[in-house]
Amino acid sequence: MPPSSDLSRRAVITGLGAVMPIGNDFETYWRNLQNGVTGTRRITSFDASAFEVQIAAEVLDFNPSSAMDPKMARRMTRYIHLAMAAGKEAVANSGIDFAAMSPEERDRVGVVMNTGGGGIEAIIDGTHVHDTKGPRFVSAFAVPALSGSMGPACSRCSTVSRAR
């Protein structure tokens, strides 16, 4: 199918960002991907000795405050931390100056993010809180945190809101 001649139907990739088990930025990720580096290794983020499977592809050496205010990071799941960092890198890589854009132009910018899911730890934590303290103490953000769309939404809103 040929590209659309209608410019409003075209999409352009202007920037790339990545936070992955083989690199916490796109350049490192891409180099390691080309070199066949694996991100699969023994689990280090918790004691997995009691489990049958003790390997995973974890993102290592990542600091959420590199992508967001530490106070905000405490309210977010790790999924959002990773998404924000990748989104910010993509925007920086794109060279887009949101402050110089009109609101209409900013509305034409989007974030496309690939994910296998959202913040499952919010559901796990919510279950523990429910079981120990009761349902009224479960965070109202537990279910929305699970949504795969939260990563791109938070990345785009954070970037665009700073430009206003």
Side-chain angles (χ1 to χ4, degrees), residues 24-90:
N24 291 350
D25 58 73
F26 184 79
E27 184 180 325
T28 304
Y29 158 74
W30 189 249
R31 182 178 60 250
N32 285 337
L33 186 66
Q34 290 176 316
N35 292 329
V37 174
T38 182
T40 306
R41 56 187 75 84
R42 285 201 166 277
I43 294 171
T44 61
S45 61
F46 63 92
D47 180 9
S49 61
F51 297 102
E52 193 172 322
V53 176
Q54 298 178 9
I55 60 169
E58 298 176 293
V59 172
L60 302 175
D61 303 321
F62 177 78
N63 182 354
S65 63
S66 68
M68 61 177 50
D69 176 69
K71 183 178 177 181
M72 182 63 78
R74 285 191 300 274
R75 297 183 196 147
M76 305 286 182
T77 63
R78 183 162 167 81
Y79 165 66
I80 301 297
H81 301 161
L82 302 174
M84 289 289 291
K88 284 185 171 192
E89 180 187 13

Side-chain angles (χ1 to χ4, degrees), residues 30 46-47 50 52-53 62-63 67 69 87 90 94-95 107 109-110 122 129 137-138 143 150 162-163:
W30 189 249
F46 63 92
D47 180 9
E52 193 172 322
V53 176
F62 177 78
N63 182 354
D69 176 69
S94 75
D107 284 345
V109 176
V129 168
F137 292 97
V138 176
V143 173
M150 288 300 289
R162 283 195 317 270

